[in-house]
Amino acid sequence: MISFVFTFNAEFSVLVIVCVLLLSLVRYLLYDVNPPEGFNLRRDVYIRMASLVKTLRKEGDDWVLVLPPWGRLYHWQSPNLHQIRIPWGEFFSLTSLQANVPVIEYEEFIAENGGPFIDHVLVLQNYAEGWTDGKWEEKVDERPCIEKLMYSKDKHGYYRGWFWGYEETRARNVTCLSAQGHASVIAPVLQKNITATSVMLDRAETLLHDHYAGKDYWNTRRSMVFAKHLRLIGDNFRSRHLNSTDETDHTPYSEDWTRMKAKPGSAKGGSYLGVHLRRKDFIWGHREDVPSLKGAVKKIRSLMKKHKLDKVFVATDADDEEIKELKKLLPDIVRFEPSTEDLELFKDGGVAIIDQWICAHARFFIGTSVSTFSFRIHEEREILGFDPKTTYNRFCGDTEKECEQPTHWKIVY
Ligand SMILES: Nc1nc2c(ncn2[C@@H]2O[C@H](COP(=O)(O)OP(=O)(O)OP(=O)(O)O)[C@@H](O)[C@H]2O)c(=O)[nH]1
Ligand SMILES: *[C@@H]1O[C@H](CO)[C@@H](O)[C@H](O)[C@H]1NC(C)=O
Ligand SMILES: *[C@@H]1O[C@H](CO)[C@@H](O)[C@H](O)[C@H]1NC(C)=O
Ligand SMILES: *[C@@H]1O[C@H](CO)[C@@H](O)[C@H](O)[C@H]1NC(C)=O
């Protein structure tokens, strides 16, 4: 382009603009996660992908992260609800996400891209040979697919498969990539080896965090502000049923997460115990780190007494039978029970967020061992400025000997 410098005229200006546009080409990163993974692990994978996009944007192209629509989650079982193709805006504040890294909804991508086409799908996988010499190292290589591809060619040569329930979407190319390491390990491949404008990473959860619980992790986590309508429902419920407001509880919230920096220990929380009691698949396996209902209730009573709390809010995925038993053992229990209309409006994901929001504002919280649902509550409380002693607690199994408590991941600004 240097040669044009001498023809200084209007045409030249246009050329310069075109050059600049070409130099910072918009490229799209799409991703998906292994189907059985739940809502809260997917929130964690988002953090890894946001980190990758930040790395990609440091050099050259103008990468944008395309948000994978929510749906077909194993746990979202409310009958008569069609929970598919749900945009992120229903659960999270898009402007908040965008203040961290450029993101767009999938339908916006279709519009910008001129159709439901994804240039290249990279299916991430491990190495067929495992760790060579028993040594773990970061690496990435194009390799033949190990498992049977979940995509198949149609008669026009396009690949069809699961694209979040968008049946018209198809891919121009699908190949496999063996990768082990942190998310940004594949950045050079996306920058140098692949020229396609839109690239989708399938099985994105196989990539690790660039730097778990570091500053960048927390920036992205803080940007994952729940959608305002869900927070309002939660706040309303707190004030009506738990006598809890941000003013009295010292949990001020800023619509703009970049301005929020609560002093650790400054949050007091509503005068209630917050409980996340994970059941279903957590008890089917007879895990020894998960309590019986009786065991959980005993712990709840002792915590209420110890912290002088006369109310308890319980978030749980327990089935009807267990709920009945729980209510018998703990008659004064407070739960968020959505009406049919509310459930239709918020869906299972929105109700889970409301539950998490209410738990996040409790004076004292106790969750379930290694539940990502509980982990997300820990983070929310860390952001709000709770004393870690009131947050990083979990139930112990009835016969569990060493009941290690959750790790405190301190927020970094
Ligand atoms: N409303 C509500 N839903 C819950 C609760 N606990 C679990 N769920 C539902 O069950 C799903 C499973 O939990 P996940 O978000 O996948 O996280 P997890 O509990 O760690 O489970 P795994 O990641 O599968 O180990 C959630 O997405 C919710 O749909 C709860 O307390 N309230
Ligand atoms: C990317 O390109 C480089 C250089 O051409 C090559 O050595 C490397 O194997 C390629 N990586 C992948 C994953 O294709
Ligand atoms: C698909 O991608 C692979 C790997 O980048 C490339 O070698 C191949 O030529 C591509 N196929 C088509 C049809 O574009
Ligand atoms: C509600 O909270 C306020 C302020 O914390 C307190 O003064 C009041 O007594 C509480 N009301 C009830 C009914 O508990």
Side-chain angles (χ1 to χ4, degrees), residues 38-40 75-76 276 278 282 315-317 351-352 355 371-373:
F39 185 57
N40 289 294
H75 293 100
W76 293 357
H276 174 232
R278 183 78 159 80
F282 273 43
T316 182
D317 61 339
V351 172
D355 266 347
S371 158
T372 53
F373 190 107

Side-chain angles (χ1 to χ4, degrees), residues 47-244:
I47 298 181
R48 306 176 210 180
M49 292 301 109
S51 183
L52 170 58
V53 168
K54 285 181 193 176
T55 303
L56 289 170
R57 291 177 61 82
K58 280 184 194 146
E59 260 178 64
D61 298 333
D62 182 12
W63 285 87
V64 173
L65 184 59
V66 181
L67 301 165
W70 296 100
R72 206 180 64 161
L73 295 197
Y74 162 77
H75 293 100
W76 293 357
Q77 293 170 341
S78 286
N80 316 320
L81 272 188
H82 195 57
Q83 309 199 58
I84 205 173
R85 296 192 292 269
I86 305 172
W88 277 57
E90 288 205 20
F91 298 143
F92 300 96
S93 150
L94 277 193
T95 48
S96 301
L97 296 175
Q98 278 156 352
N100 174 57
V101 74
V103 297
I104 54 172
E105 299 274 18
Y106 183 66
E107 295 204 3
E108 217 177 320
F109 163 76
I110 297 180
E112 279 188 20
N113 187 52
F117 299 95
I118 299 171
D119 293 328
H120 200 145
V121 173
L122 291 169
V123 181
L124 301 179
Q125 58 184 16
N126 297 324
Y127 281 80
E129 68 271 28
W131 306 353
T132 38
D133 317 325
K135 195 175 110 238
W136 193 86
E137 55 178 346
E138 298 216 305
K139 53 182 180 176
V140 48
D141 292 282
E142 195 181 326
R143 288 291 177 90
C145 301
I146 301 171
E147 282 173 34
K148 190 177 172 295
L149 263 192
M150 299 299 278
Y151 302 88
S152 56
K153 262 192 184 167
D154 67 12
K155 60 178 190 283
H156 303 290
Y158 288 114
Y159 288 88
R160 301 286 186 152
W162 176 259
F163 295 105
W164 314 283
Y166 285 84
E167 313 226 322
E168 288 310 308
T169 294
R170 59 219 102 145
R172 294 198 166 94
N173 198 354
V174 179
T175 59
C176 289
L177 199 64
S178 287
Q180 66 185 28
H182 62 281
S184 288
V185 79
I186 65 161
V189 177
L190 299 180
Q191 284 163 329
K192 300 198 181 87
N193 301 59
I194 297 206
T195 52
T197 301
S198 51
V199 184
M200 169 174 162
L201 301 178
D202 195 0
R203 300 297 307 269
E205 80 286 351
T206 53
L207 295 170
L208 308 174
H209 279 284
D210 277 339
H211 184 63
Y212 187 78
K215 180 175 189 294
D216 176 55
Y217 172 97
W218 276 109
N219 278 350
T220 301
R221 179 59 185 83
R222 287 161 62 218
S223 77
M224 299 179 81
V225 170
F226 291 137
K228 189 165 187 178
H229 68 284
L230 299 176
R231 281 184 281 129
L232 283 179
I233 298 289
D235 288 341
N236 218 327
F237 187 92
R238 283 167 55 211
S239 108
R240 282 183 51 192
H241 301 279
L242 299 161
N243 193 23
S244 159

Side-chain angles (χ1 to χ4, degrees), residues 274-332:
V275 172
H276 174 232
L277 192 56
R278 183 78 159 80
R279 306 308 281 172
K280 295 240 169 83
D281 40 312
F282 273 43
I283 50 170
W284 298 335
H286 298 284
R287 284 169 39 171
E288 71 142 15
D289 58 341
V290 177
S292 66
L293 276 189
K294 270 212 179 87
V297 169
K298 195 170 152 216
K299 181 72 184 175
I300 288 172
R301 288 213 182 284
S302 99
L303 284 173
M304 288 170 77
K305 199 166 162 205
K306 181 173 173 197
H307 298 281
K308 301 193 177 64
L309 302 170
D310 56 357
K311 293 195 193 72
V312 53
F313 175 81
V314 177
T316 182
D317 61 339
D319 60 24
D320 293 344
E321 209 162 298
E322 275 208 318
I323 295 272
K324 240 199 248 158
E325 198 187 329
L326 191 61
K327 281 183 174 163
K328 224 188 284 164
L329 294 167
L330 202 68
D332 38 1

